[in-house]
Amino acid sequence: MAPHDVSSRLQIYDPRERALVSAADRTLAIAAGILKPFRPRRPPAAPARILLLRLERIGDLLMALPAIADVRALAPLARIDLVVGSWNADMARAVTAVSGVKVLNAGWLARGETGLGLPSLLRAAREWRQEHYDLGINFEPDIRSNLLLAVSGSSWTAGFTSGGGGAVLDAAIAYDPHTHTTDNARRLVGAVLGHTPAGETRGAILDIPASSHDVAAARLGEPDRPLVGMHVSGGRAIKQWPPARFAEVGRRLIETGATVVLTGSPADRVLIDQVTADLPPSGVIDVAAELGLVELAAILQRLDLLVTGDTGPMHLAAAVGTPVVAVFGPSDPARYAPTGPKDHIVRVDLPCSPCNRIRLPPARCIGHTPDCLSSISADRVLAAVMTVLATRLQAAGSSWPR
């Protein structure tokens, strides 16, 4: 597969960013075309050392897990190293398909953590050359991380063209914006290594250590009521369902006999306090700001259900098999929603939704809850919760509500 040329469409909605990436993409394509005759390369028949890049946030890593498992299934004896941001390091070490984890914080992805600029990142990536990777795969459609992979010394490199930089890779495919992020990642692996056989069992994707399960058991105890998790922070204002509606759902769940388990980071405390102010303390377990990601995974695995927006914990719950009721606004569920048989997405159909303009929201949606979220009532979310919860508990031999 030859690298895509500069005519490939860039899926970048910020006009200024698109223009900059387009100019850089053309320059890289010219340079790659000049150098290509002097650096003949062939895809490895059986790669023994594989480098994978997933530098973005927790949800992005979790949506790539099935593709990473595919890499392991197709290269069962290979050493597979995964590069992630420090925020995902502990979770990456729990991925069963991964042999080793490298940490690299990109400045454009860091939120409160120290991040590096592109020159420093390129210097760090050049150090990977000493590992002599046979294959490198970048799961991010981004020109900058494609450059990191290009200087990594990998004998064959693969990634996406839609964020630019496809010309510096040996194999570059278009990212399909109409299909799920997971499916795009698996399609990339299939284009490079071949597709996993239909029906093949990939086994456990995450191996949560016993110490994290002990923490979860200590925090949740031996519940005699259904445990409904609630992650009230949307992560960004444009994805924030009103806290008062989370509180209404939580209050009515407690009235029907459930316990609400609140999760979140220290930065979410103001939102969490707004919700807890309207809930009876006896019906709440607050584990927010106390847990790392792996411990949170153990907590989520013990829940009967998680109510959330389009967030990292939504993907984490899905990864450990906990049903999700997710409130979606500007994000496209076709690309980002959990796909389990018991998961339920609550959204409204509007001409402008989903716009997927998360990093650069429309001006008319800034400063208040956007219409695609304000139009979703607590009643609709509660109805979805009750349906999913009743099905789950009845399958376990319990009646609901009592």
Side-chain angles (χ1 to χ4, degrees), residues 241-295:
W241 196 49
R245 297 187 191 177
F246 273 111
E248 183 177 349
V249 172
R251 183 173 61 254
R252 292 165 68 181
L253 279 170
I254 292 170
E255 289 171 355
T256 59
T259 295
V260 170
V261 180
L262 293 169
T263 64
S265 70
D268 302 330
R269 178 46 62 186
V270 171
L271 290 170
I272 294 165
D273 287 346
Q274 290 178 34
V275 173
T276 54
D278 289 334
L279 300 179
S282 60
V284 175
I285 300 175
D286 186 346
V287 298
E290 297 180 8
L291 308 170
L293 278 177
V294 180
E295 293 170 338

Side-chain angles (χ1 to χ4, degrees), residues 68-89:
I68 295 171
D70 287 346
V71 175
R72 172 55 70 200
L74 293 163
L77 302 180
R79 175 177 179 84
I80 300 174
D81 289 342
L82 175 62
V83 185
V84 298
S86 61
W87 43 87
N88 280 336

